């Protein structure tokens, strides 16, 4: 809250919640996509599928978990809203590129 | 992994200048970034799906289809990478009060998908569907 006479910063309201839900939706999309892709790769290259699963699935879970944790970090009294930065966007971009890499391997190498 | 503080926010090039904008703008920027990533995921899924059909259907088994699948996957990678760059550029613009970057990816995606759609129709005609 600002001092009397200063314009108070408007609260994010339900936008923070909508954004967290968008994060969870996106993480879930990549998780499901990765699982389907791993299932396809497992037919021909089970070793690669297991190795990729050990990387992709924890990263997808981590992104979702961090998004929820960040949402609740805004509940603290000294920080009345989640402090945003580029960690989560960078993490999910990395996940997208890893999924695409595995997809390209599946397409080119069978 | 600890939560970011005002001093440790990354990337530096975004947070080293300007001031925090109205949080609703930053949150909307993140949601737009995520919508682009889901679009990228849809392209990747289309690429993998086309190849899955390609390998299981003798009638469609052609290198052209594999090429199309790779194209869709590369499109997904490109959109993912550009989305992050655009998120960062937009956030920096919001912090410094500069104009937002122009939306270039929409046209790229629209024209690209149109070209791919036409290619698929031509491919189906050539294959005798």
């Amino acid at each position: 809250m600002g001092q009397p006479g200063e314009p108070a910063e408007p609260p994010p309201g339900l936008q923070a919640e909508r954004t967290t839900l968008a994060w969870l939706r996106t993480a879930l999309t990549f998780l499901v996509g990765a699982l389907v892709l791993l299932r396809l790769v497992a037919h021909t290259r089970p070793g690669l599928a297991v190795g990729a699963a050990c990387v992709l699935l924890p990263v997808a879970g981590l992104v979702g978990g961090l998004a929820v944790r960040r949402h609740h970090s805004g509940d603290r009294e000294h920080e009345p809203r989640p402090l945003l930065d580029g960690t989560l966007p960078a993490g999910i971009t990395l996940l997208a590129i890893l999924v695409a890499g595995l997809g390209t391997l599946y397409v080119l190498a069978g | 992994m600890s939560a970011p503080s005002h001093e440790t926010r990354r990337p530096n090039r975004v947070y080293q200048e300007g001031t925090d904008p109205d949080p609703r703008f930053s949150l909307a920027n993140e949601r737009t970034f995520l919508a682009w990533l889901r679009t990228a995921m849809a392209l990747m899924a289309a690429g993998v799906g086309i190849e899955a059909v390609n390998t299981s259907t003798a009638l469609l088994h052609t290198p052209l289809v594999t090429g199309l699948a790779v194209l869709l996957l590369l499109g997904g990678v490109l959109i993912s990478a550009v989305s992050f760059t655009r998120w960062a550029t937009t956030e920096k613009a919001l912090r410094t009060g500069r104009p937002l970057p122009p939306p270039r990816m929409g046209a790229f995606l629209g024209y690209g998908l149109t070209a791919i759609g036409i290619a698929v129709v031509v491919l189906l005609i050539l294959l005798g569907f």
Side-chain angles (χ1 to χ4, degrees):
Chain A
M1 290 295 284
Q3 298 297 316
E6 276 182 24
E9 187 184 71
L14 294 175
Q15 293 235 13
E17 196 168 325
R18 277 211 305 277
T19 307
T20 302
L21 287 170
W23 274 105
L24 289 177
R25 219 163 41 234
T26 310
L28 194 62
T29 300
F30 278 97
L31 188 66
V32 170
L35 282 170
V36 170
L37 187 54
L38 289 166
R39 182 79 182 82
L40 289 168
V41 171
H43 280 301
T44 50
R45 295 164 181 265
L48 175 66
V50 170
C54 289
V55 175
L56 293 176
L57 304 184
V59 171
L62 190 69
V63 166
L66 285 176
V68 172
R69 186 166 164 232
R70 190 186 71 174
H71 181 71
H72 290 303
S73 75
D75 298 340
R76 293 191 306 257
E77 200 176 329
H78 67 278
E79 192 63 70
R81 60 184 173 83
L83 191 60
L84 308 176
D85 84 333
T87 309
L88 273 174
I92 205 157
T93 303
L94 175 71
L95 178 63
I97 289 167
L98 287 173
V99 169
L102 184 63
T104 307
L105 265 177
Y106 166 73
V107 168
L108 293 178
Chain B
M1 200 169 162
S2 59
S5 69
H6 282 283
E7 294 75 35
T8 62
R9 288 202 281 179
R10 298 283 180 270
N12 248 336
R13 67 189 166 92
V14 172
Y15 295 102
Q16 69 190 359
E17 55 180 308
T19 54
D20 280 1
D22 180 337
R24 291 174 298 181
F25 296 150
S26 292
L27 290 166
N29 184 26
E30 266 195 14
R31 288 198 302 275
T32 306
F33 160 73
L34 290 170
W36 273 111
L37 270 195
R38 288 194 298 272
T39 305
M41 183 66 209
L43 283 184
M44 296 176 204
V48 170
I50 282 174
E51 184 57 22
V53 171
N54 191 29
T55 50
S56 64
T57 314
L59 191 64
L60 277 178
H61 198 68
T62 161
L64 280 175
V65 178
T66 300
L68 191 61
V70 170
L71 193 68
L72 286 164
L73 280 155
L74 289 179
V77 172
L78 188 69
I79 286 176
S80 302
V82 174
S83 294
F84 180 75
T85 310
R86 187 174 153 75
W87 167 83
T89 310
T90 303
E91 194 62 31
K92 193 171 178 177
L94 287 171
R95 292 178 64 82
T96 54
R98 294 192 190 116
L100 299 184
R104 292 194 187 95
M105 273 198 304
F108 165 78
L109 186 68
Y111 290 130
L113 286 178
T114 302
I116 286 171
I118 291 167
V120 168
V121 169
V122 169
L123 199 64
L124 290 175
I125 290 168
L126 288 175
L127 290 169
F129 276 81

